[in-house]
Amino acid sequence: MPKTSSETAAPCTRIALHGPTMGTRWSASVDADGAVNQEALRRDLAFAAQQVDMQMSPWKPESDLVRLNRAPVDTWVDLPPEMLEVLACAMDIHRQSAGAFDPCVGALVDAWGFGAARDAPDAAAIQAARQAVPIPMHKGLELDRPAGRARKRAPVQLDLCGIAKGYAVDRMAAVLRQHGVRHALAALDGELRAVGGQASGVPWAVALESPDVGRRAARGVIELEDLAVATSGDYRHYLKVGDAHLAHTMDARRAAPVNNAVASVTVLARTCMEADAWATALLVAGPGEGLALAQRRGLEALFLLRRPEGLVELGLGRFAAS
């Protein structure tokens, strides 16, 4: 009798790999067969996450991002292809979102105490950032990907924290495939990407976090199979200044932290880089503009809105049934 596919398939073992990066931790749940070299896989996953951090961190003085920010206007700066890929995607989503996603907020991030420059808001720096003439990303930055370089066309300060973690997860997914892994879930903070489904044939179950300050609790479950998800919100990274609760995400149009009714936005996308950037854009855009933007762009998104009666869910795509 011929053997079935389940009889010929190599048995898989669930392994959990993880390590520190970007002020948090990367992780990967892998259904691996005996051909997978676990130590080599762990090493390469850690390198993938660390490489993105070394290139795009605003906190590391030697990073490529800091080099670009410090370079004089109209001076070409050689950059690695990975960072140019992220900058190109960031520029595209900046345009598509009408500026809601804006990586040119580095000065605002520092002024409000979320960057490397200071750990509390600075009134003079905030005023200076507000008085600066807003510059669209496509006018403030020029990319030359064939030559591997970029230059600022205006004195902008870039911050890629709204997209770099998602890209790091994509790099981890690529490493998993290079090692022959067909069933895995890569994660970094609130960004995740599934490589296939579980070896058992069911999708990966991912908890949708409730946007509660000071505690972690699941509000629901998302199923992923060859899909990425990212969440942006006002509840995890913030500063308390008196009675004010300042979210870490900047609204460049107001030159201030996001301050609207959106507690969190979760986005599904083909890549985690896109999901990460769009989640940030929709959080900034707010409940009305953000929902309309997501509808125009055909995004699958879930908004959790703070209302007097409690949290209200608004979903699009696969979230519409929520």
Side-chain angles (χ1 to χ4, degrees), residues 236-285:
R236 191 61 63 215
H237 304 293
Y238 61 91
L239 288 176
K240 288 287 288 184
V241 180
D243 294 330
H245 174 109
L246 302 179
H248 76 292
T249 302
M250 291 294 126
D251 184 346
R253 301 166 300 180
R254 296 175 46 252
V258 167
N259 182 20
N260 55 41
V262 181
S264 69
V265 182
T266 299
V267 174
L268 297 174
R270 180 181 57 85
T271 69
C272 206
M273 172 170 63
E274 294 169 305
D276 194 9
W278 275 115
T280 302
L282 298 180
L283 176 68
V284 171

Side-chain angles (χ1 to χ4, degrees), residues 65-122:
L65 177 66
V66 171
R67 285 197 303 111
L68 179 60
N69 281 335
R70 289 177 174 171
V73 171
D74 287 327
T75 300
W76 287 107
V77 178
D78 292 333
L79 294 174
E82 296 86 1
M83 184 168 169
L84 287 165
E85 180 182 0
V86 170
L87 288 171
C89 179
M91 194 174 293
D92 183 51
I93 294 179
H94 173 77
R95 177 186 57 78
Q96 291 189 55
S97 67
F101 179 72
D102 192 350
C104 299
V105 293
L108 276 174
V109 171
D110 282 343
W112 284 94
F114 291 100
R118 55 183 62 84
D119 58 7
D122 181 274

Side-chain angles (χ1 to χ4, degrees), residues 3-287:
K3 292 184 178 181
T4 65
S5 59
S6 61
E7 290 174 317
T8 57
C12 288
T13 301
R14 176 69 54 85
I15 60 174
L17 307 174
H18 53 83
T21 190
M22 300 186 189
T24 181
R25 296 186 72 79
W26 64 265
S27 66
S29 296
V30 183
D31 286 347
D33 59 31
V36 174
N37 183 325
Q38 293 187 32
E39 286 307 310
L41 179 57
R42 186 195 310 274
R43 180 194 64 228
D44 291 348
L45 287 169
F47 176 79
Q50 191 64 20
Q51 183 184 50
V52 175
D53 193 25
M54 290 302 299
Q55 292 179 3
M56 306 178 207
S57 171
W59 300 84
K60 298 182 182 300
E62 69 278 14
S63 76
D64 296 291
L65 177 66
V66 171
R67 285 197 303 111
L68 179 60
N69 281 335
R70 289 177 174 171
V73 171
D74 287 327
T75 300
W76 287 107
V77 178
D78 292 333
L79 294 174
E82 296 86 1
M83 184 168 169
L84 287 165
E85 180 182 0
V86 170
L87 288 171
C89 179
M91 194 174 293
D92 183 51
I93 294 179
H94 173 77
R95 177 186 57 78
Q96 291 189 55
S97 67
F101 179 72
D102 192 350
C104 299
V105 293
L108 276 174
V109 171
D110 282 343
W112 284 94
F114 291 100
R118 55 183 62 84
D119 58 7
D122 181 274
I126 291 170
Q127 184 64 20
R130 283 178 167 168
Q131 290 176 343
V133 177
I135 300 170
M137 188 178 182
H138 67 275
K139 291 186 177 180
L141 184 69
E142 180 180 356
L143 305 182
D144 183 356
R145 294 182 70 180
R149 61 183 186 170
R151 64 176 171 179
K152 298 181 297 183
R153 303 310 304 269
V156 295
Q157 183 178 336
L158 296 163
D159 186 301
L160 297 175
C161 290
I163 192 171
K165 285 182 179 179
Y167 181 71
V169 174
D170 289 335
R171 297 302 302 164
M172 290 168 60
V175 166
L176 288 161
R177 289 196 178 93
Q178 288 164 6
H179 278 259
V181 173
R182 296 183 297 140
H183 308 284
L185 182 68
L188 202 167
D189 217 1
E191 287 69 56
L192 304 97
R193 181 168 173 176
V195 175
Q198 299 183 56
S200 63
V202 301
W204 294 95
V206 175
L208 173 65
E209 192 172 45
S210 182
D212 301 326
V213 175
R215 76 182 187 101
R216 291 187 180 272
R219 184 178 176 86
V221 175
I222 305 167
E223 292 187 335
L224 300 180
E225 187 168 357
D226 283 323
L227 195 65
V229 64
T231 298
S232 291
D234 68 354
Y235 58 94
R236 191 61 63 215
H237 304 293
Y238 61 91
L239 288 176
K240 288 287 288 184
V241 180
D243 294 330
H245 174 109
L246 302 179
H248 76 292
T249 302
M250 291 294 126
D251 184 346
R253 301 166 300 180
R254 296 175 46 252
V258 167
N259 182 20
N260 55 41
V262 181
S264 69
V265 182
T266 299
V267 174
L268 297 174
R270 180 181 57 85
T271 69
C272 206
M273 172 170 63
E274 294 169 305
D276 194 9
W278 275 115
T280 302
L282 298 180
L283 176 68
V284 171

